[in-house]
Amino acid sequence: MKILFLNGPNLNLLGSREPDKYGTLTLKDIENFVKLEADKLNVEVEFYQTNIEGELVNKVQESKGKYDGIVINPAAYTHTSVAIRDAILAVEIPTVEIHISNIHKREEFRTNSMTAPACIGQITGFGAFSYKLGLIAVTDYIKSFEQD
Ligand code: DQA
């Protein structure tokens, strides 16, 4: 099983970016511990980060036939991107939305997710651990269909 982790704008700055909200781990640190969990689950994972909305759309589109599942932190595009939402709906790949902070506990504009309705579900507010939960959630979901 292959899972793609997509990361949106400013997540390349994790570690130094607003550590009170996003913690002190870098995206590379997160990738490393997610890969340890992936080994235990016997799953392959790939990480990708971009600050550009269209590149996230391209990556989702290109995932068809290449990945069994997607875990996405669309970052600020969560709240605005019809294009990413439509791409997730178009490819029909099981996708879990994740956030480091609890977007429902922050500013009003962050409480709405444009992308979550296209996903299986949303994991939000568990810090970097949201990434690991995202991996467990998407693999479990895919496996439950494989058994049917
Ligand atoms: C975020 C929450 C978003 O509102 C914000 O724009 C981010 C990070 C999170 O992981 O908590 O960049 O997606």
Side-chain angles (χ1 to χ4, degrees):
M1 191 189 299
K2 280 184 89 172
I3 306 296
L4 177 65
F5 276 74
L6 289 178
N7 292 281
N10 302 306
L11 294 173
N12 54 317
L13 301 180
L14 285 178
S16 60
R17 173 193 181 202
E18 300 185 86
D20 54 317
K21 296 187 185 75
Y22 302 118
T24 52
L25 294 182
T26 64
L27 194 56
K28 194 72 202 164
D29 294 333
I30 295 174
E31 179 176 342
N32 289 340
F33 79 66
V34 166
K35 284 193 168 156
L36 289 178
E37 184 65 22
D39 286 347
K40 283 190 217 157
L41 295 169
N42 204 17
V43 168
E44 255 182 78
V45 296
E46 257 174 55
F47 264 64
Y48 181 77
Q49 189 278 330
T50 177
N51 293 325
I52 301 166
E53 182 178 15
E55 286 185 356
L56 288 169
V57 172
N58 284 342
K59 275 283 170 187
V60 171
Q61 289 187 9
E62 290 161 11
S63 297
K64 191 86 190 161
K66 256 169 100 181
Y67 297 96
D68 304 291
I70 297 174
V71 178
I72 186 166
N73 184 348
Y77 292 134
T78 305
H79 317 295
T80 60
S81 185
V82 178
I84 296 171
R85 175 187 173 132
D86 285 352
I88 296 167
L89 288 172
V91 295
E92 295 179 319
I93 297 172
T95 299
V96 172
E97 178 173 308
I98 58 166
H99 299 284
I100 296 168
S101 63
N102 182 349
I103 60 170
H104 303 290
K105 244 177 31 182
R106 300 185 58 193
E107 302 97 321
E108 180 67 30
F109 70 87
R110 286 185 210 276
T111 61
N112 181 53
S113 172
M114 190 61 86
T115 43
C119 298
I120 305 162
Q122 182 191 65
I123 294 165
T124 186
F126 294 92
F129 192 55
S130 292
Y131 281 77
K132 191 165 152 182
L133 293 173
L135 177 67
I136 294 167
V138 80
T139 53
D140 197 69
Y141 180 90
I142 295 163
K143 280 180 189 159
S144 71
F145 281 98
E146 281 175 354
Q147 278 157 15
D148 289 344

